[in-house]
Amino acid sequence: MDLGAVTKYSALHAKPSGLILQYGTAGFRTKAEHLDHVMFRMGLLAALRSKQTKSTIGVMVTASHNPEEDNGVKLVDPLGEMLAPSWEEHATCLANAEEQDMQRVLIDISEKEAVNLQQDAFVVVGRDTRPSSEKLSQSVIDGVTVLGGEFHDYGLLTTPQLHYMVYCRNTGSRYGKATLEGYYQKLSKAFMELIKQASCSGDEYRSLKVDCANGIGALKLREMEHYFSQGLSVQLFNDGSKGKLNHLCGADFVKSHQKPPQGMEIKSNERCCSFDGDADRIVYYYHDADGHFHLIDGDKIATLISSFLKELLVEIGESLNIGVVQTAYANGSSTRYLEEVMKVPVYCTKTGVKHLHHKAQEFDIGVYFEANGHGTALFSTAVEMKIKQSEQLEEKKRKAAKMLENIIDLFNQAAGDAISDMLVIEAILALKGLTVQQWDALYTDLPNRQLKVQVADRRVISTTNAERQAVTPPGLQETINDLVKKYKLSRAFVRPSGTEDVVRVYAEADSQESADHLACEVSLAVFQLAGGIGERPQPEFKIGHSAAETTCNINNAFGLGTANRHTVLIQCSDSSRSFAKETRALKMTSTVAIHQQLTMIN
Ligand SMILES: CC(=O)N[C@H]1[C@@H](OP(=O)(O)O)O[C@H](CO)[C@@H](O)[C@@H]1O
Ligand SMILES: [Mg+2]
C-alpha cells in the first residue's frame, strides 16, 4: 500500500473536520456536498474488501428515495449482498477518521481483516441520476485506483442492476452475463416464456402505468421495454423529463402518504405501480369505481408471490420448504393471512433488507418483502436440482417445473428489484388470471399510521424481539402496552430510524381513527419518556385531495368531539395550498378554535 499516495490523494478529497457519519441501514446518506471524502474512502475500502475476498466488490452511489440534494453510497459484497456487518464498522471508522489518522485506520483495517495487500482488487461502480452522482462516483474511482485496484464504471444503473452485476461477475457468469444487455435479456426471456403459458382470454392486452419517481428506473425501463413489449406494454410517468427526483412521487411517497403520485392520471381499476428513486422498491395501486385509492404494498406482493410459488410446488409434488420473511411493519392482516389461510411459516426480522435476506436464505424458497415494497425471493440449490430432475416427470408436473425455472430466472436474487418484481407480478397476475382488485381482495389491510418523533438522542431507545418491544427508556414499553389495550385489533411499536435522525412510531387498529389516535398517543409517550425536542406531537388531520374531501375530514374531526379545543395540524403540499385557504374560511365560521399550521409534506 503506497501510504504516501493515499495521503496525497486524500487531501484532494478532504474531510470537513468534525463531520461524523454512520454506515446505516443503507450505507452513508446525507447532503451531497458533505460526501466527497466518504466516496474516496469507500473506494479505498472497496479495494481492501476486494483484496480480502479475492472477488469483485460493488459500490453504488445513490440516496434512493431521499431528496435530490442528498446522496449516499453503499458497498455490495461478492454475492450481490449488503456489506458484512464487521466491514460496516470499518466503513464508519474510515469515513470519520480525521486526515492525519487515515493511514493508521487503513492499516488497522488491513491487519484486523488479514488483507493481503499484494492481492489484486476489482471494483464495479454504478450511480443514479442525481446531479451530484457523477462527480461523487469519480471520487470512488480515485479511491480504488490509489490502492492499485482496477475498476469498471457502469455509469447509470439501478441499485439492483449493480447488485446483479456483482453477483454475475463472482459466479463465473453462471447467474447471467454481467452487462445491461445480459440483464435485460435474462429477465425478458424468462418473462416472455411465462406469459406464453397464460391462458389467453382474448381481450387481455396487458398494460401498466409506471411512476418512475423521476429517477434512474425511467431510463432503464425505457431501455428494456422493447425486450418484453410483446407481453406487456408499460406507460412511464415521472420519467425525469421535468419533475424533481422523488418529489411528490415514487414508491416511498405513495406508501407513506397512502395516495397516488402527482403527474399520473389514473382511470378507475387501472393497474399502476411506483418505483423509488433507485428502483429497488415497488408498490402497486389503483382507484376503484368510486374513486377510492387502494394501495397494494410489499406485504400483498409477498402474499401473491408466495402463494403462487407454493401452488407450483404442490403441482410439482415436491416437499421443498417455503418461508416468508417480514419486519414489524408488515400489516397484521398479511401475517394472519399467510399463517392461517395459506399455512406458510412467517418470520419477523429487524428492519433493513440485509436482515430479511439472511433469514430468507434459510429456506428452499425464501420470500422476503418489507412493507414498503423492497424484496425478492431466494431459491436454494436444492430447488434447482429438483428442477433439473423434472425431465423424467409427467407432462403436467414438467410444465409446472418449467414455470418455476422461469420464475427463478425472473427474480433478481441478489437484491430486491423494482423492474424484476414488476415483471414477476405481471406474469403471476396473467398466469392466474387475476385482476388487480382480486389480488387486493386477498385480505383487507388493518388501518395503520406511521409517525416520526424528534428526540435529542434517538439511541436512548433500544429494542428487542425484532424491534417490536422497547427495552429502554424505562417505562416506555409499559406505557405502549397500556395504550394498545384501549383499541381493538391494535398493535404499536417504536424504534430509532437507521436512516434519519428520528424515532419511528407505528400503530395499527380496527379503524383509521383508532390507528391515528394510537399512533399519536404513542408519539406523545416517546416525546415525554425519550427526550422529545421541538414541538409536541399533535393529533393530525391531513388535508384531502380535494376541497370537499378536506372539509369532510375537518367535519369528521369536529364530529369526534375530542377535537374541540384541540390543535389541528393541517399538512399540505404546494398544490394543496388553495385547499388550505378554503379550510381557513371554514375555521372562521366554525365554533371550534383551530390553530392552523401549514407544513410542507416532505
Ligand atoms: C419503516 C421503513 O420503511 N424503514 C425503511 C428505512 O429504514 P429506517 O431504519 O426505518 O430509517 O430505510 C431503509 C433503507 O432504505 C429500509 O430498508 C427500511 O424499510
Ligand atoms: Mg431504494
Side-chain angles (χ1 to χ4, degrees):
M1 179 155 53
D2 181 352
L3 290 172
V6 172
T7 309
K8 189 173 137 208
Y9 281 93
S10 182
L12 301 175
H13 300 280
K15 172 182 178 295
S17 70
L19 180 67
I20 303 290
L21 297 169
Q22 173 94 28
Y23 195 98
T25 329
F28 293 103
R29 268 189 214 177
T30 188
K31 290 274 161 276
E33 70 249 33
H34 296 145
L35 279 168
D36 183 52
H37 69 293
V38 175
M39 297 292 166
F40 174 73
R41 293 170 186 205
M42 287 309 102
L44 297 174
L45 194 75
L48 287 186
R49 181 70 171 150
S50 173
K51 286 171 190 277
Q52 187 218 27
T53 56
K54 302 187 178 63
S55 306
T56 297
I57 294 296
V59 181
M60 183 71 198
V61 177
T62 180
S64 181
H65 58 274
N66 286 39
E68 191 165 281
E69 302 70 45
D70 288 7
N71 217 322
V73 57
K74 66 180 172 187
L75 268 60
V76 178
D77 252 1
L79 295 181
E81 297 159 288
M82 300 292 184
L83 186 64
S86 58
W87 280 76
E88 288 189 359
E89 280 174 37
H90 300 326
T92 302
C93 284
L94 191 59
N96 293 327
E98 295 304 334
E99 280 310 312
Q100 67 275 14
D101 301 326
M102 269 275 294
Q103 289 194 5
R104 184 185 50 78
V105 174
L106 268 184
I107 293 168
D108 270 5
I109 297 171
S110 309
E111 284 177 0
K112 265 192 205 142
E113 296 291 344
V115 177
N116 173 4
L117 295 167
Q118 307 312 317
Q119 181 69 39
D120 292 341
F122 196 86
V123 176
V124 291
V125 184
R127 64 180 146 89
D128 71 12
T129 52
R130 282 161 209 272
S132 58
S133 291
E134 188 166 1
K135 187 165 175 292
L136 290 174
S137 69
Q138 194 50 53
S139 303
V140 171
I141 291 168
D142 286 355
V144 174
T145 44
V146 90
L147 282 190
E150 290 188 52
F151 69 92
H152 177 81
D153 182 9
Y154 278 102
L156 292 165
L157 278 189
T158 70
T159 297
Q161 284 175 335
L162 183 80
H163 284 258
Y164 165 91
M165 301 303 173
V166 174
Y167 196 14
C168 291
R169 282 175 180 267
N170 290 316
T171 48
S173 296
R174 273 195 310 282
Y175 187 66
K177 265 173 70 184
T179 59
L180 270 173
E181 181 74 15
Y183 172 93
Y184 295 146
Q185 276 178 350
K186 180 181 174 186
L187 268 61
S188 305
K189 180 168 174 283
F191 176 72
M192 293 308 293
E193 289 288 323
L194 284 164
I195 284 281
K196 268 200 287 189
Q197 308 284 320
S199 48
C200 200
S201 61
D203 54 4
E204 269 280 321
Y205 179 62
R206 299 200 71 77
S207 68
L208 175 69
K209 289 187 165 173
V210 187
D211 154 33
C212 298
N214 290 318
I216 182 72
L219 299 185
K220 298 299 145 183
L221 194 54
R222 274 254 146 80
E223 279 174 19
M224 185 179 186
E225 126 180 65
H226 69 273
Y227 288 84
F228 60 73
S229 52
Q230 298 293 317
L232 173 71
S233 133
V234 284
Q235 213 183 327
L236 275 53
F237 296 85
N238 298 319
D239 64 354
S241 53
K242 33 184 200 294
K244 229 179 153 186
L245 177 68
N246 295 326
H247 184 60
L248 305 176
C249 61
D252 194 65
F253 173 85
V254 172
K255 167 73 180 161
S256 46
H257 296 279
Q258 306 200 8
K259 66 179 189 189
Q262 285 205 350
M264 184 193 253
E265 201 195 305
I266 307 176
K267 297 203 192 86
S268 70
N269 296 329
E270 261 178 350
R271 223 167 43 255
C272 307
C273 68
S274 283
F275 293 0
D276 73 338
D278 62 340
D280 61 0
R281 288 193 202 174
I282 185 168
V283 292
Y284 268 68
Y285 44 90
Y286 68 99
H287 274 152
D288 65 22
D290 298 327
H292 291 128
F293 174 76
H294 293 254
L295 174 70
I296 304 184
D297 65 3
D299 301 336
K300 239 169 217 169
I301 295 175
T303 308
L304 179 78
I305 291 171
S306 50
S307 68
F308 179 76
L309 292 173
K310 196 176 171 204
E311 280 168 23
L312 275 188
L313 286 184
V314 171
E315 255 178 68
I316 304 168
E318 281 304 340
S319 57
L320 294 162
N321 68 45
I322 177 164
V324 176
V325 189
Q326 304 184 316
T327 71
Y329 292 99
N331 195 279
S333 291
S334 73
T335 316
R336 246 189 308 278
Y337 181 83
L338 284 161
E339 286 181 334
E340 291 169 17
V341 181
M342 281 181 48
K343 311 278 184 223
V344 172
V346 181
Y347 299 83
C348 183
T349 70
K350 290 203 252 180
T351 304
V353 280
K354 65 183 171 199
H355 301 294
L356 292 102
H357 191 95
H358 283 135
K359 185 71 196 171
Q361 284 171 325
E362 292 176 15
F363 307 95
D364 291 322
I365 299 181
V367 179
Y368 74 83
F369 268 87
E370 291 191 303
N372 59 31
H374 193 177
T376 186
L378 306 180
F379 301 86
S380 71
T381 42
V383 179
E384 282 167 22
M385 296 288 289
K386 298 279 179 192
I387 292 175
K388 284 212 182 86
Q389 291 157 8
S390 69
E391 301 288 299
Q392 295 96 41
L393 296 177
E394 66 202 62
E395 160 103 37
K396 196 164 161 257
K397 290 186 175 182
R398 211 169 52 232
K399 213 171 136 195
K402 187 73 199 155
M403 224 177 246
L404 185 57
E405 188 178 14
N406 281 319
I407 211 115
I408 293 174
D409 275 348
L410 190 47
F411 274 110
N412 184 342
Q413 292 194 60
D417 182 334
I419 294 180
S420 141
D421 289 339
M422 175 190 85
L423 293 174
V424 167
I425 291 163
E426 290 301 313
I428 296 177
L429 292 178
L431 287 163
K432 295 187 74 154
L434 282 178
T435 63
V436 70
Q437 300 86 332
Q438 287 166 327
W439 172 22
D440 187 33
L442 286 178
Y443 61 83
T444 307
D445 274 324
L446 279 172
N448 58 88
R449 177 68 63 207
Q450 255 195 68
L451 296 176
K452 299 177 191 179
V453 184
Q454 298 278 350
V455 297
D457 180 1
R458 67 194 199 276
R459 288 171 303 181
V460 300
I461 297 196
S462 60
T463 61
T464 184
N465 191 13
E467 306 179 320
R468 288 171 292 191
Q469 279 171 305
V471 177
T472 59
L476 179 58
Q477 189 55 48
E478 290 73 13
T479 309
I480 296 174
N481 293 345
D482 289 343
L483 292 170
V484 165
K485 276 188 210 138
K486 290 168 41 182
Y487 301 93
K488 288 197 197 103
L489 297 177
S490 55
R491 186 168 74 90
F493 66 92
V494 303
R495 54 176 280 279
S497 159
T499 59
E500 289 175 62
D501 191 11
V502 295
V503 175
R504 292 199 198 282
V505 171
Y506 177 88
E508 63 185 33
D510 64 335
S511 71
Q512 193 59 55
E513 282 78 15
S514 297
D516 289 349
H517 276 124
L518 179 56
C520 184
E521 288 176 315
V522 172
S523 300
L524 209 54
V526 169
F527 190 86
Q528 283 161 347
L529 297 169
I533 52 170
E535 244 178 77
R536 286 162 73 86
Q538 305 281 357
E540 182 177 300
F541 301 96
K542 289 224 175 90
I543 205 151
H545 297 312
S546 64
E549 202 179 317
T550 302
T551 309
C552 152
N553 281 349
I554 298 286
N555 285 337
N556 279 347
F558 295 167
L560 285 174
T562 51
N564 284 8
R565 287 179 301 281
H566 260 196
T567 296
V568 177
L569 174 69
I570 300 174
Q571 288 194 327
C572 72
S573 61
D574 256 347
S575 61
S576 49
R577 277 200 178 276
S578 57
F579 305 149
K581 284 203 196 95
E582 290 176 45
T583 56
R584 198 185 298 257
L586 190 79
K587 171 188 135 191
M588 306 305 285
T589 57
S590 78
T591 54
V592 183
I594 301 174
H595 165 61
Q596 184 182 12
Q597 295 177 40
L598 302 179
T599 54
M600 303 288 286
I601 288 180
N602 254 344

